[in-house]
Amino acid sequence: AQSVTQLGSHVSVSEGALVLLRCNYSSSVPPYLFWYVQYPNQGLQLLLKYTSAATLVKGINGFEAEFKKSETSFHLTKPSAHMSDAAEYFCAVIRSGAGSYQLTFGKGTKLSVIP
Amino acid sequence: DSGVTQTPKHLITATGQRVTLRCSPRSGDLSVYWYQQSLDQGLQFLIHYYNGEERAKGNILERFSAQQFPDLHSELNLSSLELGDSALYFCASSVSSQRGWQETQYFGPGTRLLVL
């Protein structure tokens, strides 16, 4: 079985401050990991993905995430928060095998950016 | 605008009823994915179809079924509806499938279902 834990259902940062959204996973096999963003009243948008290549993954809008196997983590960061970053962020893990795959989402972290 | 369309945008129905949600993927995309987002269950992957064939199945209830038609649009059928089925149902599409889950998926605006 696999699971995803996002620490903090709500995170507030000041504009210009570092954004750190935490994601820990459990998986019995090497996982593939994703971060999605959902803006109010919209569908999901892929921010970045880890698919067993480089452990530091750069995504859109200045976000990046680092895969740390020893810590089973895939935390999302951005050096300087912008007002437009206010949204809900979802971490997801995929385990593939036997011609199919399992996709599991975390419960999401709502990011507020304070001017 | 992602290019993925979903109809209807809103749906209100009663317990025990059956509804059909429709999704049209982006032009040229062969894969369609369905997701459910609710306050209780969070975001859940339901099912993935590629070119008419089921590719992967997630937490889809037996009361729910989906299919993808030759013109590549997809329908999600929800039957014997319960209060807990009230949720936002998204579909997404991507170009292909072999490792479709690695591809960028483009999401539609969703269908908001309310079961009373």
Side-chain angles (χ1 to χ4, degrees), chain A residues 6-43:
Chain A
Q6 290 185 240
L7 293 175
S9 59
H10 199 164
V11 170
S12 292
V13 300
S14 297
E15 191 175 15
L18 171 72
V19 176
L20 171 60
L21 304 182
R22 299 178 187 274
C23 173
N24 288 88
Y25 68 91
S26 67
S27 176
S28 56
V29 298
Y32 299 92
L33 296 155
F34 301 76
W35 275 100
Y36 285 89
V37 60
Q38 184 177 29
Y39 297 103
N41 300 314
Q42 292 187 30

Side-chain angles (χ1 to χ4, degrees), chain B residues 9-78:
Chain B
K9 288 186 178 179
H10 303 276
L11 195 50
I12 302 175
T13 188
T15 54
Q17 295 298 304
R18 171 189 170 96
V19 297
T20 298
L21 313 184
R22 182 187 170 104
C23 170
S24 294
R26 294 186 321 154
S27 177
D29 283 1
L30 299 178
S31 275
V32 171
Y33 311 78
W34 285 98
Y35 299 87
Q36 179 196 59
Q37 186 174 33
S38 67
L39 289 176
D40 289 344
Q41 302 291 328
L43 190 57
Q44 294 197 93
F45 164 66
L46 296 179
I47 200 163
H48 167 197
Y49 271 83
Y50 167 70
N51 205 21
E53 299 290 328
E54 182 183 302
R55 183 71 178 85
K57 187 179 280 192
N59 297 325
I60 189 166
L61 300 173
E62 285 193 9
R63 300 184 285 110
F64 296 0
S65 65
Q67 56 184 326
Q68 186 179 26
F69 294 86
D71 68 352
L72 301 177
H73 90 271
S74 178
E75 292 181 356
L76 179 67
N77 299 296
L78 316 177

Side-chain angles (χ1 to χ4, degrees), chain A residues 32 34 36 38 41-46 49 51 88 90 94 96 99-103 105-107, chain B residues 33 35 37 40-41 43-45 48 55-57 88 90 99 101-109 112:
Chain A
Y32 299 92
F34 301 76
Y36 285 89
Q38 184 177 29
N41 300 314
Q42 292 187 30
L44 297 176
Q45 182 179 4
L46 180 66
K49 58 188 177 186
T51 56
E88 190 157 18
F90 293 90
I94 285 180
S96 68
S100 187
Y101 63 90
Q102 281 187 330
L103 166 57
F105 287 94
K107 293 192 178 298
Chain B
Y33 311 78
Y35 299 87
Q37 186 174 33
D40 289 344
Q41 302 291 328
L43 190 57
Q44 294 197 93
F45 164 66
H48 167 197
R55 183 71 178 85
K57 187 179 280 192
L88 189 55
F90 288 109
R99 291 198 171 220
W101 43 265
Q102 285 193 27
E103 298 176 338
T104 297
Q105 295 181 23
Y106 296 88
F107 281 75
R112 189 170 294 278

Side-chain angles (χ1 to χ4, degrees), chain A residues 28-105:
Chain A
S28 56
V29 298
Y32 299 92
L33 296 155
F34 301 76
W35 275 100
Y36 285 89
V37 60
Q38 184 177 29
Y39 297 103
N41 300 314
Q42 292 187 30
L44 297 176
Q45 182 179 4
L46 180 66
L47 273 180
L48 49 81
K49 58 188 177 186
Y50 167 75
T51 56
S52 73
T55 56
L56 181 62
V57 182
K58 294 188 184 299
I60 63 171
N61 301 340
F63 284 94
E64 63 180 38
E66 186 172 7
F67 172 68
K68 292 187 176 180
K69 184 178 178 181
S70 61
E71 299 178 7
T72 61
S73 69
F74 189 58
H75 301 331
L76 182 70
T77 60
K78 181 174 180 177
S80 175
H82 192 272
M83 295 299 294
S84 61
D85 295 327
E88 190 157 18
Y89 293 79
F90 293 90
C91 182
V93 59
I94 285 180
R95 185 181 65 179
S96 68
S100 187
Y101 63 90
Q102 281 187 330
L103 166 57
T104 305
F105 287 94

